[in-house]
Amino acid sequence: MSFPITASSPVRFPGPPPKSADVVVIGGGIIGAMTAWFLARSGVKVVLCEKGRIAGEQSSRNWGWVRQQGRDPAELPIMIEALSIWKGLADEAGADLGFRQTGVLYAANTAKDIAGYEAWMVHAKAHGLDTRLLGQAELQSMLPNAAGWLGGIWTASDARAEPWIAVPRLAEALAAKGVTIVENCAVRALDVSAGRISGVVTEAGRIRADRVVLAGGAWSSLLARRHGLILPQLSVRATVTATEPLPEVWSGAVADSHFAIRRRADGGYTLTPGDFHEFFIGPDAFRHFGAFWTQIKTDLSGTRFLPAAPKGYPDAWGTRRRWAEDEESPFERMRILNPDPNRAAIERLRDRFATAFPRIGRPGIAASWAGMIDTMPDVVPVIDHVAALPGLTVATGMSGHGFGIGPGVGRVVADLVEGRAPGHDLWRFRFARFSDGSKIVLGPSL
């Protein structure tokens, strides 16, 4: 049984990096990998630099959901495209990615939940999704072993995949297509000449390129700040646990207000709290407090605040914000964020599973982990060129939504980099929205 990738995982792509490329992609998660995928498809010479391991952080630590249901309306068109891409990815990669269209169900604990589902249906109908509302009787017929839910919302075409399998296998397919991937290769700085991108400076030397994609997840803001670019991105810790193999109570993914589950290929379930995450207070938390206030007050009861991040984390008190190109950077000092899971949260998950599925009871646990979710104040990503630094494109802040939408975002970013029309309205994802006087707006997502 293989679970999230860590710094002790073997290096699959040792390099070295070349001296030049058309495009350098920073970050080996699903966004970086899929951006490289579509650039390579267009014949572009791509180098992907990853400071640790491919998918070592959130791209192997997420829930494994591939969902349209409940998304911010601005994300939906890209997500619909992403689902279409997912359907053909296994064949194109020549590998099983664990992708299965087993549906996503949200179950209601309260009448307020049902009202939220009803309100979101306007977006499902506008995009022609197969989403539909379920009454209590129909939900119970679909989940006969479950207890306590009042109704739900169901999208049969939604899917699941195996995060710690999918992205590494996609990277292997990328390498077979001629893309240069280099692990243990931190980008220390952007190389800038005459006010525009001329490449990157890595720990293994310079790579000349006139276009760079910053897809560094939780680390993106730190690298951007080194170059005077303000990206109000913070990270929250989310705990995940994997059960031992269990009888099948549901073939796909289901969530209520308190917890979420996903059936895995190995016969177990991935369990996560639906109402709880943890936030480490650091310098950027104070710096961006105003931008995040709308989100904080909306989700105050579901957030546990901790006074300091572990040493070396992007917003830890001791993490350097400035360093020279020939100095060891914070990205080398912390190859992979591998936070400890919250053990009390895991025990609550086991209790909630037993309450929802009393015939099975408290499940045995095979493994547990946590990840740092890169989050934006309005809970949607930045996908945009940076006007102040021509040649730089940013794709970060997926806010926990990145795994499923990754193939669609990769296609969009590749077209942006190549100067082609992205095919979707990206206004909500613009880089400047936090500095142009725009009001922070949380979309009507579930």
Side-chain angles (χ1 to χ4, degrees):
M1 195 179 293
S2 176
F3 288 110
I5 296 158
T6 67
S8 62
S9 299
V11 174
R12 302 185 187 195
F13 308 99
K19 298 296 183 182
S20 65
D22 297 325
V23 180
V24 174
V25 175
I26 304 171
I30 193 163
I31 303 301
M34 292 310 303
T35 297
W37 186 278
F38 285 99
L39 287 169
R41 183 184 281 183
S42 297
V44 176
K45 183 182 178 183
V46 186
V47 176
L48 190 156
C49 295
E50 165 54 48
K51 66 181 178 62
R53 302 290 188 278
I54 292 294
E57 295 189 355
Q58 196 55 24
S59 283
S60 69
R61 297 164 185 266
N62 62 81
W63 298 7
W65 292 35
V66 180
R67 66 172 176 90
Q68 304 158 103
Q69 181 171 288
R71 284 191 179 263
D72 186 291
E75 288 185 345
L76 256 180
I78 302 177
M79 183 59 228
I80 292 168
E81 179 184 357
L83 181 60
S84 178
I85 296 169
W86 270 108
K87 293 177 185 179
L89 264 184
D91 286 343
E92 193 169 350
D96 185 0
L97 310 177
F99 176 80
R100 306 287 187 273
Q101 282 187 276
T102 47
V104 165
L105 170 67
Y106 288 172
N109 297 101
T110 66
K112 183 179 179 182
D113 293 336
I114 293 174
Y117 302 160
E118 291 173 343
W120 194 84
M121 281 297 298
V122 67
H123 307 296
K125 291 175 180 177
H127 291 280
L129 301 185
D130 59 342
T131 305
R132 60 189 181 90
L133 296 170
L134 305 176
Q136 187 173 31
E138 187 174 12
L139 185 146
Q140 288 178 344
S141 70
M142 293 174 68
L143 272 168
N145 294 319
W149 288 320
L150 305 179
I153 186 171
W154 158 248
T155 303
S157 60
D158 280 350
R160 58 181 170 91
E162 298 297 341
W164 46 84
I165 294 173
V167 182
R169 287 182 178 173
L170 288 169
E172 290 170 358
L174 267 176
K177 294 174 185 289
V179 172
T180 300
I181 301 173
V182 191
E183 295 177 308
N184 274 0
C185 184
V187 172
R188 292 176 171 175
L190 304 174
D191 208 359
V192 180
S193 302
R196 66 162 295 120
I197 289 290
S198 58
V200 297
V201 180
T202 80
E203 62 182 290
R206 293 179 186 269
I207 305 173
R208 296 187 303 277
D210 59 7
R211 290 164 292 172
V212 170
V213 176
L214 176 54
W219 298 91
S220 296
S221 179
L222 188 62
L223 181 59
R225 176 167 286 278
R226 185 192 180 280
H227 294 274
L229 303 173
I230 305 304
L231 184 64
Q233 173 185 292
L234 299 174
S235 298
V236 296
R237 180 172 71 172
T239 289
V240 186
T241 194
T243 74
E244 297 172 346
L246 296 173
E248 183 172 287
V249 296
W250 185 247
S251 64
V254 60
D256 68 4
S257 300
H258 306 304
F259 82 121
I261 71 172
R262 174 185 66 84
R263 186 68 166 174
R264 293 194 315 276
D266 62 19
Y269 284 90
T270 294
L271 310 183
T272 57
D275 59 351
F276 175 75
H277 51 259
E278 296 170 295
F279 177 67
F280 296 110
I281 298 171
D284 284 347
F286 285 96
R287 186 177 288 116
H288 302 313
F289 178 81
F292 274 86
W293 174 239
T294 300
Q295 183 185 150
I296 290 170
K297 66 182 180 181
T298 301
D299 193 27
L300 191 61
S301 63
T303 304
R304 178 190 180 204
F305 294 91
L306 301 170
K311 183 179 179 181
Y313 277 43
D315 197 30
W317 290 101
T319 297
R320 296 175 64 186
R321 267 61 183 173
R322 293 285 183 271
W323 57 91
E325 294 175 354
D326 60 353
E327 288 183 293
E328 183 185 49
S329 69
F331 315 116
E332 295 149 80
R333 294 174 183 169
M334 179 62 69
R335 295 287 181 183
I336 292 179
L337 294 173
N338 188 29
D340 293 328
N342 184 306
R343 298 295 171 184
I346 292 168
E347 294 307 307
R348 289 195 297 270
L349 282 170
R350 298 177 72 195
D351 290 340
R352 286 168 175 172
F353 186 93
T355 299
F357 303 103
R359 293 185 183 180
I360 295 180
R362 295 182 93 238
I365 300 302
S368 299
W369 63 89
M372 299 300 293
I373 298 175
D374 51 314
T375 303
M376 304 306 297
D378 46 8
V379 203
V380 292
V382 171
I383 306 171
D384 198 6
H385 296 304
V386 178
L389 194 49
L392 178 64
T393 304
V394 173
T396 195
M398 297 297 140
S399 303
H401 310 157
F403 181 69
I405 204 172
V409 171
R411 200 281 303 162
V412 166
V413 175
D415 280 355
L416 282 177
V417 170
E418 284 289 275
R420 296 187 292 264
H424 298 293
D425 182 359
L426 303 181
W427 176 252
R428 181 145 164 76
F429 312 129
R430 67 197 186 282
F431 185 88
R433 69 186 188 266
F434 305 111
S435 59
D436 63 6
S438 299
K439 183 180 179 181
I440 301 297
V441 177
L442 300 179
S445 57
L446 296 176

